[in-house]
Amino acid sequence: MSTDTALTVPTRFVEAGGIRFAYRRWGKPGGPPLVFMQYFSGNLDDWDPQVTDGLAAEYDVILFDNAGVGSSGGETPGAVSEMARHALAFSDALGLKMFSVVGFSLGGMIAQQLALDHPDRVNRIILLGTGPRGGEGMTFTELSAEERADPDRFLLAAFFSPTDVSQAAGREYLKRLAARTRDRDLPVTTKAAEAQLHAIREWGAVPSSDRYATLPKIKHPTLVVHGTKDIVVQPVNAFILAEHLPEAQLIMYPDSSHGAQYQHAELFLKHAKLFLNA
Amino acid sequence: MSTDTALTVPTRFVEAGGIRFAYRRWGKPGGPPLVFMQYFSGNLDDWDPQVTDGLAAEYDVILFDNAGVGSSGGETPGAVSEMARHALAFSDALGLKMFSVVGFSLGGMIAQQLALDHPDRVNRIILLGTGPRGGEGMTFTELSAEERADPDRFLLAAFFSPTDVSQAAGREYLKRLAARTRDRDLPVTTKAAEAQLHAIREWGAVPSSDRYATLPKIKHPTLVVHGTKDIVVQPVNAFILAEHLPEAQLIMYPDSSHGAQYQHAELFLKHAKLFLNA
C-alpha cells in the first residue's frame, strides 16, 4: 500500500496529444488499474473519498480531468466520442494497456463509448447514474451551466432524494468532499460546462432507428448502479442498459437520487468489489 | 451449527388451523428465522441446496409446503391472500414472532401479501423472480398445469436462458435438486397446481385504477432479485417493484431467466447476506 489517500495524493500531470492532463493516482501498487470518469461540471475533488479510498485498498485508482476540465489543458469537446478519444490518449500516456472504468453520468457515457471503440483496452465497466445513447429523457433541456452557482445546493438537490435520511447522507458527502484542503483542483469553467452539456445532449438525442443498437456490442462485464429516485437520469435508463448490455448486472438503491453510490457508499463498495473481483 | 443439511434434514409436520403442514428446518440455532415461499408447482425438494445451505450457515432456514402442496394437507386455495393467511398460520404454529421471508415467483406474491397484511410479523423480504399485483404480463395465459409433465425440460426452458452458459448452469442446478435421495417430498398434484394458477392469474389481473397502490405500504427493507432475460415474469416487473416499494434494493443478473438466483447462486448468496445483515 502507498501511504497516499484521496486527501493527500498530489495532483500530477501527463502530456498526451498536445494536452496536459491533470490526474491523481494512488492505491494498491500493481493492483488492477481503475480509471474514473467524472460527471458534468465535476472535477478531481468531486469524487467521494470514501469510495475512492475504499477502492484504492485493492486497486490502482486513477482520477483525471478530461480535456479542458479543471486543471487539465486543452479544450473540452462538444461530443462524447471526442471525450472518449481524449480518455484513451490519457490512458496511453500512463502506459495503461488494459484497465477497468468507473464512469459516473457523463463519465458513464464516455466509458460506454470507449468500450465500444476500443474493446480490447477495457476490462470491466462500472456505470453510475448514467444511460444509453438515445435513452429516456436524456437531453436535459432544463439543465444549464449556471446551475453550478451554488454547488452544495445543486448537489443536495440533484444527488440526494428529498427525504431526511437522504439529505443527511448528502451533507455527510459534502463534508467528505471538503475534507481535502490543499492542492485542490480548479473549478470547471462555464465554457467547459457548456461544451459538456452539448456532448450530453447529443448523446441523449433519440435516433430515428436502431435506438439501442450499440449496446449489444459492449460485451464487457458491466455493473450498472442507479438510484430508484434519480431525478437527473431517469432510473429506467439503468434498466434499459441491463436489458441490452449482454453482461450487465444491475443494482438499484432505494430512496436515492443521482448520488446513489455515495448515499450507500459502504454497500456500494462491497457490491463493486464483488463485481470487480469476480 | 446443527449437522443437518438440505440433503439430510428430515421433513417434519406441524398442525395449524386444521392443516398439517410439511416443513424442513435447519441452520444456525437461534439465528434469525428465514421462511421460504415456493413457486408454482414447486415443493420442498425444489429449493436449490446451494442457496438454502448457504443461508443456513447464518440463518434459521425454514422451508414449507403451503396448504394442499406436496406433503402438506388441506386444500390449495385459489387466491394469494388465502395462501398468505395459511403461511401466517404455519408461522404461528412454529412460534415465529418475527421472521424474514424469501419468496420466489408465486412465493414472492404471497410474501408481499403477508407483509401488507401483517407488517409487524415480517422483518426483511427477498423477492425472487416475481412482480407486483397487476404487473406487466402476469396473467400467464400460456401456462398450464400440464407443463410439468417433463419437469427437467420445463425448468431448463423456464429458469435458464438459451445460452450454453446458462443451460450448463441449469444442468448443475438440476443435479443439486436431485442430490437428496431419501425422504423426498410428494409431487404437487394437478389440482393444487390449477388452484395456484388461478391465484397467480387473479394476482396478475390489472386493476382498473391505482395499479400499484399497495406497494408504497410495504415499508420493509426488500431485496428484489431478477434475471435480465426472465421469460416467465418479465424483468420490468422487478423494476416496477423497485420503483414503488419505498425500501427496495434491486439486483438483476445477466443472461439469466426465472432461475437467476440459482444460475448466479454464489453471488446471490453474498448479495443476500449483505442485505439480510444490513
Side-chain angles (χ1 to χ4, degrees), chain A residues 229 243 248 250-252 254, chain B residues 229 243 248-252 254:
Chain A
K229 304 294 173 196
E243 265 190 309
L250 169 64
I251 300 188
M252 298 187 75
Chain B
K229 305 293 174 197
E243 264 190 310
Q249 185 189 127
L250 170 65
I251 300 188
M252 297 186 76

Side-chain angles (χ1 to χ4, degrees), chain B residues 81-131:
Chain B
S81 56
E82 286 297 293
M83 293 172 176
R85 212 172 51 78
H86 286 141
L88 188 76
F90 166 74
S91 310
D92 285 340
L94 288 195
L96 303 174
K97 289 206 176 76
M98 199 178 204
F99 48 94
S100 291
V101 182
V102 180
F104 177 24
S105 200
L106 167 61
M109 302 170 196
I110 301 170
Q112 291 172 65
Q113 189 67 49
L114 181 65
L116 191 64
D117 294 343
H118 301 279
D120 299 344
R121 300 293 296 278
V122 175
N123 187 9
R124 289 174 169 259
I125 307 169
I126 297 182
L127 298 178
L128 307 171
T130 194

Side-chain angles (χ1 to χ4, degrees), chain A residues 31 54 87 107 111 129 141 160 163 165 172 174 177 198 202 204 213 222 229 236 239 241 260 274:
Chain A
T141 44
F160 296 85
T163 67
V165 170
E172 290 304 310
L174 292 177
L177 293 190
H198 187 278
E202 191 247 3
T222 303
K229 304 294 173 196
V236 74
F239 177 65
L241 286 169
L274 280 175

Side-chain angles (χ1 to χ4, degrees), chain A residues 158 160-162 226-233 235 252-258, chain B residues 242-246:
Chain A
F160 296 85
S161 89
H226 219 94
T228 57
K229 304 294 173 196
D230 192 326
I231 61 163
V232 180
V233 178
M252 298 187 75
Y253 296 120
D255 182 32
S256 50
S257 185
H258 205 45
Chain B
E243 264 190 310
H244 294 269
L245 291 169

